[in-house]
């Protein structure tokens, strides 16, 4: 801690007459066997109206957004790439002849759009991924806005709140975990594309080669290097907060922050806990270091200074933390994603900025709390 949009972007469906010549939008000769093949055929792209086009692609929206997020590490960039994918698809729809599934064709366009976008851009790390040792909590954290940091993904963008939605099964939670997406940032853009198409979307090497204009040998070599890098940097799988004990731990975590009880916070942390908070490049390890960081630099003054509202990011619990100002109003301060381990809170990633709260559907300010009922 330091002193320091709507849920879904609209999808454009009209565009200039032609797509950039350098970006392939033609179909591969066959669809991945792992993908559903029950889609009704498109009876010629030229016959589709804009409304029909939008309706036809609507079921793919969340999948493509998640794919673009994995590629870019940014929700903002992913939404831009989703728009670009739809625009390119609309321009090229006349050439779609049903030789592949619509899903395969769209992911081909999305992947190449992301690769073009990533040319010359820096990777998006978390503080733990920049290679520096753990920071001293006694030193004031100083932000570094020159780094394009990895962003959180609000769950509502890729999963509905209704568990029965069949589209929810198309985006596996493990494929958008923060640790997984952070690990992807250690790869080149081409390695990311190959790994995601092969290991997440289950395309064959030949299909990936066709989509990315590579040889099959180059795809296999790239995949081997990418898997080796991922094995070196990926974290252990987090615990799902489905057990009553884990839900109780999260409730105690919220209560400790709202009481500004640093000792209680420290008691809930695992022995190897990591705390990081982009855009501050320093990261902290161990309960004592995290406790000292909060006690020294958190602007809270006592119980009631902070209020937390639950949300979810990258498939794990998250909280919007509101800090009380001098006027008594609690305003958006930071979003925390909390990862649980067997012995307590194992990892906390914190992002600052009121704009994040809009992305998570959280208010910018909180009204007065209702007084506790009398005994």
């Amino acid at each position: 801690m330091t002193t320091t949009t709507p849920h879904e972007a609209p999808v454009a469906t009209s565009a200039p007459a032609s797509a950039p010549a350098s970006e392939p939008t033609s179909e591969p000769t066959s669809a991945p066997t792992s993908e559903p093949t029950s889609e009704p055929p498109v009876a010629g792209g030229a016959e589709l109206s804009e409304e029909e086009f939008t309706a036809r692609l609507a079921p793919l929206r969340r999948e493509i957004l998640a794919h673009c997020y994995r590629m870019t590490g940014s929700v903002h960039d992913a939404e831009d790439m989703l728009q670009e994918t739809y625009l390119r698809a609309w321009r090229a729809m006349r050439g779609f002849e049903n030789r592949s599934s619509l899903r395969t064709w769209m992911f081909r366009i999305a992947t190449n759009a992301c690769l073009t976008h990533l040319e010359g851009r820096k990777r998006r790390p978390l503080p733990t991924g920049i290679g520096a040792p753990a920071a001293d909590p006694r030193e004031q954290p100083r932000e570094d806005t020159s780094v394009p940091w990895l962003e959180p993904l609000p769950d509502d963008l890729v999963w509905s709140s209704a568990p029965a939605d069949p589209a929810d099964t198309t985006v596996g939670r493990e494929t958008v975990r923060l640790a997984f997406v952070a690990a992807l940032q250690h790869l080149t853009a081409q390695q990311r594309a190959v790994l995601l198409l092969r290991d997440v979307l289950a395309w064959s090497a030949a299909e990936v080669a066709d989509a990315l204009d590579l040889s099959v040998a180059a795809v296999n070599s790239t995949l081997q290097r990418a898997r080796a890098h991922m094995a070196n940097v990926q974290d252990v799988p987090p615990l799902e907060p489905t057990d009553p004990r884990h839900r109780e731990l999260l409730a105690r975590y919220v209560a400790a922050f709202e009481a500004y009880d640093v000792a209680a916070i420290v008691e809930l942390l695992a022995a190897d806990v990591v705390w990081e908070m982009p855009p501050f490049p320093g990261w902290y390890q161990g309960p004592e270091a995290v406790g000292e960081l909060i006690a020294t630099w958190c602007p809270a003054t006592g119980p009631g200074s902070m209020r937390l509202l639950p949300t979810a990011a990258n498939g794990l619990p998250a909280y919007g933390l509101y800090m009380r100002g001098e006027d008594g109003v609690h305003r958006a301060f930071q979003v925390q994603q909390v990862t649980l381990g067997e012995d307590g809170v194992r990892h906390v990633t914190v992002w600052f900025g009121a704009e994040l709260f809009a992305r998570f559907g959280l208010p910018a300010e909180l009204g007065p709390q209702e007084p506790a009922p009398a005994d």
Side-chain angles (χ1 to χ4, degrees):
M1 245 185 212
T2 184
T3 56
T4 316
T5 84
H7 285 291
E8 295 194 357
V11 175
T13 56
S14 59
S18 60
S22 60
E23 294 304 321
T25 54
S26 60
E27 301 170 60
T29 56
S30 62
T33 57
S34 62
E35 292 188 348
T37 56
S38 59
E39 298 176 359
V42 179
E47 300 175 15
L48 287 178
S49 67
E50 290 188 13
E51 292 75 16
E52 292 169 332
F53 171 80
T54 302
R56 175 69 180 174
L57 298 185
L60 303 178
R61 187 189 188 286
R62 291 178 179 178
E63 292 180 78
I64 296 171
L65 179 65
H67 180 66
C68 293
Y69 172 73
R70 297 182 199 107
M71 285 289 297
T72 63
S74 162
V75 173
H76 180 270
D77 289 354
E79 289 177 333
D80 285 349
M81 291 303 96
L82 177 68
Q83 294 274 11
E84 180 67 15
T85 297
Y86 272 59
L87 288 172
R88 292 185 185 191
W90 172 248
R91 296 166 185 162
M93 182 59 79
R94 291 175 183 271
F96 182 69
E97 299 175 354
N98 294 304
R99 293 195 308 271
S100 67
S101 74
L102 185 62
R103 176 179 280 101
T104 300
W105 187 63
M106 289 296 292
F107 272 102
R108 176 189 179 97
I109 296 173
T111 302
N112 281 286
C114 289
L115 287 172
T116 300
H117 170 77
L118 291 169
E119 289 178 0
R121 294 177 183 265
K122 297 180 180 178
R123 67 187 182 96
R124 288 182 172 272
L126 287 172
T128 48
I130 59 178
D136 186 341
R138 295 169 297 182
E139 297 178 0
Q140 183 174 3
R142 301 194 180 279
E143 61 184 300
D144 184 352
T145 57
S146 67
V147 177
W149 299 102
L150 183 63
E151 298 175 1
L153 175 68
D155 277 17
D156 285 351
L157 291 180
V158 287
W159 300 295
S160 70
S161 56
D165 188 344
D168 286 356
T169 62
T170 61
V171 180
R173 293 182 182 273
E174 71 282 355
T175 71
V176 292
R177 295 287 194 219
L178 198 62
F180 178 71
V181 180
L184 288 171
Q185 294 298 308
H186 291 263
L187 307 179
T188 66
Q190 182 171 284
Q191 287 173 339
R192 274 179 238 169
V194 169
L195 182 84
L196 292 173
L197 293 176
R198 288 284 282 119
D199 289 356
V200 174
L201 299 183
W203 288 20
S204 71
E207 289 157 351
V208 176
D210 185 51
L212 303 183
D213 196 22
L214 298 171
S215 68
V216 171
V219 168
N220 290 332
S221 175
T222 300
L223 180 63
Q224 184 177 18
R225 292 194 299 271
R227 285 173 173 170
H229 281 299
M230 294 292 284
N232 289 332
V233 298
Q234 273 194 271
D235 202 357
V236 296
L239 290 180
E240 299 282 354
T242 54
D243 188 293
R245 294 172 302 166
H246 300 151
R247 292 195 293 271
E248 180 187 2
L249 175 62
L250 290 171
R252 291 170 58 198
Y253 180 87
V254 170
F257 266 94
E258 293 188 335
Y260 193 37
D261 186 341
V262 177
I265 295 172
V266 168
E267 184 181 344
L268 300 173
L269 304 179
D272 58 349
V273 65
V274 169
W275 181 286
E276 54 187 333
M277 47 185 192
F280 300 88
W283 60 279
Y284 307 86
Q285 187 164 33
E288 292 76 17
V290 173
E292 186 166 3
L293 174 77
I294 296 171
T296 306
W297 304 110
C298 178
T301 57
S305 289
M306 296 179 283
R307 293 171 62 185
L308 280 72
L309 290 185
T311 183
N314 299 79
L316 289 175
Y319 299 92
L321 188 151
Y322 296 78
M323 191 68 67
R324 185 174 58 197
E326 294 182 357
D327 58 359
V329 177
H330 285 83
R331 295 183 175 85
F333 183 62
Q334 63 181 215
V335 173
Q336 298 185 8
Q337 189 205 54
V338 181
T339 302
L340 301 181
E342 290 292 351
D343 58 343
V345 174
R346 181 165 56 85
H347 202 126
V348 180
T349 307
V350 180
W351 294 270
F352 294 85
E355 69 281 357
L356 272 178
F357 282 67
R359 286 194 177 276
F360 280 91
L362 296 171
E365 298 180 357
L366 296 182
Q369 278 184 299
E370 294 291 333
D375 292 334

